[in-house]
């Protein structure tokens, strides 16, 4: 059974206001590059035995950068590894997920986590040369964590894109409400999904594992839209 995300695709049209598009001041830090994240992921993937592996190109629900993989083994079990640009980003992303207590376990270390069968995630930890005990408890965020307003915008735009792909009638009927929350969001979503690079995404059903992989390609453009919106939004 695949890892299930809690509520990331169910954002209602009126669930956020334009206030969340106003970016708070940030402290400049040196973050790993996408190439760094891909290299770290490649080292962890050595522990996996996949009959089917699907890449995750970015996190489409958070501003943080991410590289990941969805691995299906010969028994049909699914393991996901996700590598983020910071430990906090990894913990924030985990808050959106639910673990199936029957067959899923979690290891989380530094800026990455792996979820899947117990032995597989233990193998990932060994490959990373860290001692981690698999758990089914999502770790809590640090007490001083302050929510990132851009995350809410990214979640909203990605949820709008998911609706466009999965329920075109709802997208059309909610168009005005969506625009009230984030002006130009429907035009942006249509442009992203109708571009030639999104042809495969348009051909996939949302319950296909490949859909999640192709959908993750939208991450950089969704984030760019939200950053531009936060810059231009009135104070």
């Amino acid at each position: 059974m695949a890892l299930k995300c809690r509520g990331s695709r169910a954002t209602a049209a009126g669930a956020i206001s334009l206030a969340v598009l106003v970016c708070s001041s940030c402290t400049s830090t040196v973050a790993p590059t996408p190439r760094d994240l891909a290299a770290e992921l490649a080292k962890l993937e050595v522990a996996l035995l996949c009959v089917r592996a699907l890449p995750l190109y970015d996190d489409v629900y958070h501003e943080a950068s991410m590289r990941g993989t969805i691995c299906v083994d010969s028994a049909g079990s699914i393991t996901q590894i996700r590598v983020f640009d910071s430990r906090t980003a990894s913990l924030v992303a985990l808050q959106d997920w639910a673990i199936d207590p029957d067959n899923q376990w979690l290891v989380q270390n530094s800026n990455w986590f792996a979820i899947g069968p117990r032995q597989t995630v233990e193998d990932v930890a060994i490959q990373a040369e860290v001692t981690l005990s698999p758990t089914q408890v999502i770790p809590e965020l640090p007490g001083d964590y302050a929510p990132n307003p851009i995350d809410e915008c990214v979640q909203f735009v990605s949820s709008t894109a998911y609706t466009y792909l999965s329920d075109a009638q709802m997208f059309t009927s909610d168009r005005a409400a969506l625009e009230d929350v984030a002006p130009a969001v429907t035009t942006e979503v249509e442009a992203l999904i109708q571009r030639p690079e999104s042809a495969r995404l348009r051909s996939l059903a949302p319950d296909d594992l490949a859909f999640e992989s192709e959908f993750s390609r939208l991450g950089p453009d969704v984030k760019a839209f939200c950053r531009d919106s936060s810059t231009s939004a009135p104070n």
Side-chain angles (χ1 to χ4, degrees):
M1 181 179 293
L3 186 66
K4 299 297 180 65
C5 187
R6 292 197 297 251
S8 59
R9 295 171 177 167
T11 306
I16 62 172
S17 68
L18 282 176
V20 304
L21 303 182
V22 182
C23 183
S24 59
S25 60
C26 304
T27 301
S28 177
T29 59
V30 178
T33 67
R35 180 173 296 179
D36 294 334
L37 300 182
E40 186 172 0
L41 173 65
K43 292 177 181 178
L44 297 173
E45 286 178 312
V46 172
L48 302 178
L49 296 174
C50 312
V51 296
R52 186 185 185 196
L54 297 162
L56 294 171
Y57 300 95
D58 204 357
D59 187 331
V60 289
Y61 295 108
H62 301 91
E63 186 183 19
S65 295
M66 182 274 288
R67 292 295 183 274
T69 190
I70 303 171
C71 170
V72 184
D73 66 20
S74 59
S77 296
I78 297 173
T79 300
Q80 295 207 27
I81 301 177
R82 301 193 177 203
V83 181
F84 293 82
D85 57 17
S86 73
R87 177 179 176 82
T88 298
S90 173
L91 292 174
V92 169
L94 272 173
Q95 306 308 305
D96 294 335
W97 297 86
I99 295 176
D100 181 347
D102 292 331
N103 57 17
Q104 290 180 327
W105 294 80
L106 162 72
V107 293
Q108 192 276 331
N109 181 68
S110 182
N111 60 321
W112 61 266
F113 63 79
I115 296 180
R118 181 168 188 148
Q119 185 59 58
T120 305
V121 298
E122 285 181 339
D123 291 343
V124 173
I126 292 170
Q127 175 64 28
E129 299 182 339
V130 293
T131 302
L132 296 170
S133 297
T135 180
Q136 293 182 316
V137 177
I138 300 295
E140 296 182 357
L141 289 169
D144 60 351
Y145 170 71
N148 178 359
I150 297 295
D151 280 358
E152 295 193 50
C153 173
V154 172
Q155 290 159 15
F156 180 76
V157 178
S158 291
S159 294
T160 301
Y162 181 83
T163 300
Y164 179 81
L165 287 161
S166 62
D167 193 335
Q169 183 175 353
M170 178 179 290
F171 177 87
T172 300
S173 63
D174 286 351
R175 192 178 191 108
L178 295 167
E179 289 290 321
D180 283 344
V181 175
V185 66
T186 57
T187 301
E188 176 71 10
V189 162
E190 289 171 327
L192 287 178
I193 295 175
Q194 291 302 322
R195 63 186 180 178
E197 306 94 289
S198 298
R200 177 160 165 73
L201 174 62
R202 294 193 301 271
S203 72
L204 295 167
D207 60 354
D208 189 324
L209 284 177
F211 180 94
E212 186 173 2
S213 173
E214 291 299 316
F215 195 69
S216 71
R217 293 182 188 272
L218 302 182
D221 291 297
V222 169
K223 294 170 191 181
F225 172 81
C226 286
R227 292 178 186 125
D228 289 346
S229 298
S230 71
T231 302
S232 60
N235 294 325

